[in-house]
Amino acid sequence: MNRIAPVPPAPPSPSFHLGTLFQWRPAARRWPFAIRAAICMGAPVLAGWVFGDITAGLMATIGSFTALYGNDRPYLNRAVYLAAIALSFALAVALGLAAEIRLLVIPAIVFIAMAATFLCNALRIGPPGAYMFAVACAAGTAMPVEHLSVIQIGLLVLAGGTFAWLAHMVGALVSPRGPERAAVAAAAEAIAAYVETVGQPAEDAARHAAALAMHNSWTMLVTHQPAQPRPSGTLSRLRSINRELHLLFAGVIATAPADKTLLADIAGRARLLAIQARDTRVELERTDPNHVPLGHHGLLSSLLKELHPSSPSMLVAARVGVATAMAGLVGEAMGLERAYWTMAAAVLMLHQGLDWMRTLQRGIERMSGTIVGLLLAGAILAIHPEGLWLVLTLMLLQFVIEICVIRNYALAVVFITAAALTIASGGHQLPDISHVLWVRGVDTAIGCAIGLLVLVLTTPRSVAVRIPQELVSLLTVLKATIGYAAEGRVTSTAARRARRDLQHRTIALLQAYDAGVGATPAHRRIAEQMWPAVAAAQRLAYRVLSACWSIEGAGDERSREEVARRLFGPDGERQVRRAVDDIETAIRRGSKPAEIGPLPGFLETEIRNLGNSLVPAAR
């Protein structure tokens, strides 16, 4: 008889109502980041005031947006990453100003928006992502900078980015491995939280959160490190701690002990490892390279993986290109003074590739925050702060933005609007403030509307079929991983690559589900029907990954082969492959899978559950 595990509760579908505008969401401690962003915003303005050119100082603040990126990266990787961000801001503003020929403005902004969107999504550059590059171009081209050449403007923006780079890197003097320690400690806490939910309804969600935390910590310890890292006692020690955490995680998945005392001991051990990860004492320890996973895909492989027409990054970039072009053309047709703001609003709506519900929420939050923000901006522009008062005003605005942006985006937009218009004024008294406010409000409304329209018109049926596609991709990688596991060869480069890809596909599958339930009602129903299959596939993937870690932890090569033989038996690999092939065929055809035959015991429940979960979807 097939063993059926209860289907975990599906993640809540995204929804939006006006009360959301007033919700204060929880967030990690933000004030150190907010203080640094405020200093980076104020320093260029202060320098401009000291040297008698406040407009040049305000132009340099655009480069200060560099401070908003890379906060969670190791310092060596961060140095290169932020240098590229700062240079990109300088090039974006310079290109926007150089394209002042009427026929070239819109194509230049469209190119910047599309390139920034593709790169930020393909390379997993987090918020604020591509949007700040569009804002930088819009704000830079709106400033009264006739006394400056394009080269001077680019250098000013680069100078602001350089200061932000220095502010970001100063922490390396205090805690050179601080980001890595924090990532490993977060993974340990997530694993402890998962262990404490074993046997409860929240187990699946906690397991996925722990897997994500482990994935992020290995990315921090491997992907974001040099290809040939300098021998470091701290890095090696953190890798060793992370490996022990992963073995604890895999052991709980593999055996799911019912002994509450044993589970409590495992959770306690994970929390002790979190304390050890934060310990700044250097321990000279070397980690076996074969015990280190490959982490996330590197820069080049990530770009190549997304360079095909059907990739999510290409789709989002294409949407942004269409929307920004439409926004620019509408702005020109309506005779708007600066169509760049309209184009920036369109980029904001689409650059993250959010689903329909989240994009609609973002648009409503943006418009409501902009309306109130225009009032605040009008008050600031009417008072016209100068000198140190202008410095303090921008620093305060930036500080509040970073405190609020995660907790309540609509409230943050109030201050974002005020800061952007204050910078764009160039430090000059505006002759007609009400006109400027009206134009910016119209620009934002048109840009948001165009972004929503493009999303509706370009949302293909792939929203409905993406989950089956991701299921097939996961099963394809799973079969490759099974092949290495059955032979006990789980530490070879090819095997570690397969294990990494299986983890990545598991995350991508849940992302596909999230996109489906956030779509229009018809597509949402299809996604919700697929949830049992998504949950079963996740459980299967984690069980295979857990088996790989158990085999790896057996010791030498002969011991690993023996563990693999015990798990798979004499014919286990072929049995698993045949069952997975049948399930994969059923997914492609949308039909009921063939009867599943005998299977190795450690995978039988998960594979049968996956096969049974496809029956409702097929119907």
Side-chain angles (χ1 to χ4, degrees):
M1 180 180 294
N2 295 351
R3 292 177 290 171
I4 305 297
V7 178
S13 299
S15 60
F16 178 75
H17 51 83
L18 292 180
T20 306
L21 296 175
F22 305 100
Q23 289 180 353
W24 190 253
R25 304 176 187 90
R29 189 181 64 162
R30 293 279 295 177
W31 64 264
F33 181 82
I35 289 176
R36 181 174 63 203
I39 292 173
C40 291
M41 179 64 68
V45 185
L46 179 61
W49 175 63
V50 169
F51 290 103
D53 193 341
I54 199 73
T55 302
L58 287 168
M59 179 61 75
T61 62
I62 296 176
S64 300
F65 293 153
T66 302
L68 307 182
Y69 295 83
N71 191 54
D72 58 347
R73 290 183 174 239
Y75 284 110
L76 184 58
N77 177 273
R78 189 185 302 190
V80 178
Y81 172 79
L82 292 180
I85 294 287
L87 183 61
S88 298
F89 274 126
L91 291 174
V93 175
L95 182 60
L97 286 166
E100 280 297 328
I101 300 175
R102 205 69 173 168
L103 295 177
L104 296 181
V105 172
I106 294 177
I109 306 301
V110 170
F111 171 77
I112 292 171
M114 290 185 68
T117 299
F118 174 77
L119 291 173
C120 288
N121 282 279
L123 301 180
R124 301 200 315 156
I125 295 174
Y131 171 61
M132 292 311 302
F133 293 94
V135 168
C137 197
T141 53
M143 283 191 192
V145 288
E146 293 79 8
H147 65 296
L148 298 172
S149 68
V150 172
I151 293 178
Q152 288 174 320
I153 290 170
L155 291 175
L156 283 169
V157 176
L158 187 59
T162 301
F163 182 84
W165 185 93
L166 292 171
H168 247 298
M169 295 302 297
V170 71
L173 301 176
V174 179
S175 180
R177 294 290 184 184
E180 293 96 323
R181 294 182 185 280
V184 174
E189 296 291 350
I191 289 173
Y194 158 63
V195 172
E196 291 170 346
T197 65
V198 169
Q200 301 176 22
E203 178 182 352
D204 283 85
R207 182 184 60 231
H208 184 69
L212 277 177
M214 287 302 311
H215 184 66
N216 291 337
S217 61
W218 280 124
T219 297
M220 187 77 73
L221 297 176
V222 180
T223 308
H224 290 166
Q225 302 296 332
Q228 299 293 331
R230 180 177 58 84
S232 165
T234 303
L235 178 60
S236 188
R237 176 61 176 159
L238 290 173
R239 286 176 169 179
S240 176
I241 292 173
N242 220 46
R243 182 171 185 270
E244 183 176 350
L245 285 170
H246 221 141
L247 290 172
L248 288 176
F249 181 48
V252 173
I253 293 177
T255 60
D259 187 341
K260 298 297 182 183
T261 302
L262 178 58
L263 288 173
D265 290 343
I266 295 173
R269 177 58 183 169
R271 290 200 164 92
L272 178 61
L273 290 172
I275 295 173
Q276 293 179 6
R278 296 187 181 99
D279 191 345
T280 56
R281 290 174 297 180
V282 174
E283 299 183 39
L284 296 177
E285 179 179 328
R286 297 299 301 274
T287 305
D288 186 341
N290 289 330
H291 292 166
V292 178
L294 296 182
H296 195 269
H297 294 278
L299 186 148
L300 183 59
S301 60
S302 294
L303 288 177
L304 293 176
K305 188 169 67 72
E306 294 294 325
L307 275 176
H308 61 86
S310 61
S311 74
S313 297
M314 289 289 281
L315 175 61
V316 175
R319 282 177 179 160
V320 166
V322 172
T324 49
M326 287 177 60
L329 293 173
V330 169
E332 289 292 324
M334 295 180 64
L336 300 179
E337 295 176 9
R338 294 284 179 178
Y340 316 135
W341 291 98
T342 307
M343 300 169 79
V347 173
L348 169 71
M349 299 298 293
L350 301 173
H351 75 101
Q352 288 179 288
L354 300 177
D355 53 62
W356 166 252
M357 284 302 302
R358 293 182 178 91
T359 303
L360 178 62
Q361 176 179 344
R362 177 58 57 91
I364 295 174
E365 289 175 337
R366 184 72 189 185
M367 279 309 307
S368 57
T370 297
I371 292 171
V372 180
L374 290 173
L375 300 177
L376 177 60
I380 294 174
L381 294 175
I383 296 171
H384 186 51
E386 298 181 287
L388 290 177
W389 286 111
L390 179 59
V391 174
L392 293 174
T393 298
L394 287 173
M395 290 181 66
L396 179 61
L397 289 172
Q398 190 63 41
F399 178 83
V400 176
I401 289 168
E402 299 309 323
I403 291 294
C404 297
V405 70
I406 294 178
R407 294 177 170 88
N408 188 297
Y409 181 72
L411 180 60
V413 171
V414 173
F415 300 95
I416 291 171
T417 302
L421 287 174
T422 303
I423 293 173
S425 70
H428 297 290
Q429 179 73 58
L430 299 180
D432 191 349
I433 295 175
S434 60
H435 174 71
V436 172
L437 300 181
W438 169 256
V439 169
R440 292 296 169 263
V442 171
D443 290 344
T444 302
I446 293 175
C448 290
I450 289 175
L452 287 172
L453 177 64
V454 168
L455 180 62
V456 171
L457 295 178
T458 62
T459 299
R461 186 175 175 273
S462 63
V463 170
V465 302
R466 184 179 168 193
I467 296 175
Q469 289 174 343
E470 290 294 348
L471 280 169
V472 169
S473 297
L474 184 148
L475 294 178
T476 300
V477 179
L478 184 137
K479 286 185 292 184
T481 309
I482 285 290
Y484 297 111
E487 296 175 359
R489 298 187 300 109
V490 294
T491 60
S492 66
T493 300
R496 289 189 294 155
R497 187 179 297 117
R499 292 162 66 182
R500 176 197 63 190
D501 291 346
L502 180 57
Q503 177 70 70
H504 173 71
R505 295 262 57 98
T506 306
I507 296 170
L509 175 60
L510 190 60
Q511 290 173 338
Y513 175 80
D514 288 340
V517 296
T520 56
H523 290 150
R524 185 183 310 152
R525 285 192 295 270
I526 296 173
E528 289 171 346
Q529 290 172 357
M530 292 293 293
W531 170 249
V534 171
Q538 279 192 303
R539 286 175 169 175
L540 174 59
Y542 286 133
R543 182 56 60 92
V544 171
L545 290 170
S546 169
C548 290
W549 278 98
S550 298
I551 295 170
E552 178 181 326
D556 57 25
E557 183 176 348
R558 179 174 297 179
S559 299
R560 292 172 185 170
E561 292 175 355
E562 178 60 31
V563 171
R565 279 194 295 269
R566 287 202 305 267
L567 286 173
F568 285 89
D571 199 30
E573 180 186 0
R574 187 185 63 82
Q575 293 170 345
V576 172
R577 283 184 175 275
R578 182 174 57 194
V580 172
D581 283 338
D582 290 342
I583 292 173
E584 186 176 328
T585 300
I587 294 172
R588 293 181 186 275
R589 296 176 178 175
S591 61
K592 181 179 178 179
E595 185 68 28
I596 296 176
L599 289 166
F602 79 105
L603 291 179
E604 183 175 6
T605 298
E606 286 72 22
I607 292 178
R608 294 192 186 280
N609 285 343
L610 178 57
N612 291 329
S613 69
L614 297 179
V615 176
R619 291 174 182 170

